[in-house]
């Protein structure tokens, strides 16, 4: 895909999902090689990551999945243009919790027009849930009925599916 001719030059995105789903690993992989860090430490509150990738300047809010910080979130929701919701494909037990998390986030009025990318991460793990199952468990068609949305598979450790993820966001955020 060619960038620059269409789509926005800069995009502010919110990266959310349960703790341990791989949000920080994914954001790290999105970044240019020289900016990547070797070890991902658990995120407290949130971290703002700014970098260029796929012909776009990105500002990504890497959120902690911990609910106690949620009251901080709505303050900057106004500037969010896209939501990346990360799901751990190997964590079937917490799919229902993930669904509640997604529901809470996308019910925010500030995010009603933001495209939502559901990123099924850790698809390198043997025995992980497939996308049809996760779509079902998360009730995505119902939850996201009023949003532009898609679901993609990815692996942060294998650096798979992440270019496609950025491409989708670029083409889904309206200028
Ligand atoms: N196997 C596998 N492990 C991953 C993947 N992405 C992240 N992890 C691991 O999952 C753990 C949590 O990752 P982290 O990025 O800190 O998750 P966060 O809490 O959502 O920010 C770490 O041990 C990562 O190395 C992946 O795609 N595959
Ligand atoms: Mg993190």
């Amino acid at each position: 895909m060619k960038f620059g001719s269409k789509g926005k030059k800069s995009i502010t995105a919110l990266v959310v999902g349960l703790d341990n789903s791989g949000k920080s690993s994914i954001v790290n992989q999105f970044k240019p090689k020289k900016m990547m860090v070797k070890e991902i430490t658990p995120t407290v509150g949130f971290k703002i990551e700014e970098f260029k990738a796929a012909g776009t300047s990105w500002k990504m809010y890497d959120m902690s999945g911990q609910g106690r910080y949620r009251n901080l979130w709505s303050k900057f929701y106004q500037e969010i243009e896209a939501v990346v919701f990360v799901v751990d494909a190997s964590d079937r037990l917490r799919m229902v919790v993930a669904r509640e998390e997604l529901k809470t986030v996308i019910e925010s009025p500030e995010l009603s027009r933001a495209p939502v990318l559901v990123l099924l991460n850790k698809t390198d793990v043997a025995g992980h849930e497939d996308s049809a199952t996760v779509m079902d468990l998360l009730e995505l068609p119902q939850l996201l009925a009023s949003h532009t949305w898609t679901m993609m598979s990815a692996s942060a450790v294998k650096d798979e599916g992440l270019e496609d993820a950025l491409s989708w966001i670029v083409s889904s955020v309206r200028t």
Side-chain angles (χ1 to χ4, degrees):
M1 190 180 203
K2 199 165 169 292
F3 292 98
S5 50
K6 66 172 190 161
K8 290 189 58 156
K9 289 271 185 311
S10 67
I11 295 176
T12 303
L14 180 68
V15 183
V16 276
L18 299 184
D19 58 287
N20 201 51
S21 56
K23 301 176 295 296
S24 300
S25 303
I26 285 169
V27 173
N28 191 45
Q29 287 287 4
F30 282 154
K31 294 195 287 195
K33 287 281 173 285
K34 60 172 192 277
M35 286 178 69
M36 279 171 55
V37 297
K38 290 255 165 56
E39 288 215 26
I40 303 294
T41 49
T43 317
V44 176
F46 66 85
K47 209 159 90 188
I48 300 172
E49 299 270 20
E50 293 184 274
F51 56 92
K52 283 203 171 83
T56 302
S57 296
W58 298 88
K59 182 174 179 186
M60 289 196 185
Y61 286 90
D62 174 6
M63 305 302 299
S64 161
Q66 286 156 296
R68 66 189 149 122
Y69 296 108
R70 200 190 311 281
N71 56 349
L72 296 173
W73 298 6
S74 62
K75 295 195 181 111
F76 53 84
Y77 270 7
Q78 288 101 304
E79 66 169 299
I80 299 300
E81 299 171 281
V83 175
V84 179
F85 188 79
V86 181
V87 182
D88 180 347
S90 70
D91 189 0
R92 185 182 174 102
L93 287 176
R94 288 205 299 167
M95 290 293 171
V96 176
V97 187
R99 183 187 66 204
E100 290 311 303
E101 185 77 22
L102 174 61
K103 190 164 181 281
T104 305
V105 172
I106 54 127
E107 275 175 353
S108 307
E110 299 92 344
L111 301 177
S112 63
R113 289 174 60 244
V116 178
L117 170 62
V118 178
L119 207 47
L120 190 59
N121 190 38
K122 305 199 188 183
T123 52
D124 59 286
V125 176
H128 68 83
E129 302 301 327
D130 62 32
S131 42
T133 305
V134 175
M135 203 172 289
D136 230 43
L137 289 169
L138 264 52
E139 299 174 349
L140 294 183
Q142 295 92 317
L143 270 189
L144 296 170
S146 62
H147 286 258
T148 297
W149 70 279
T150 194
M151 179 181 209
M152 290 180 170
S153 296
S155 166
V157 294
K158 292 205 161 175
D159 193 16
E160 284 170 0
L162 300 177
E163 262 181 66
D164 289 347
L166 289 182
S167 300
W168 186 85
I169 299 170
V170 169
S171 57
S172 302
V173 173
R174 306 269 169 258
T175 46

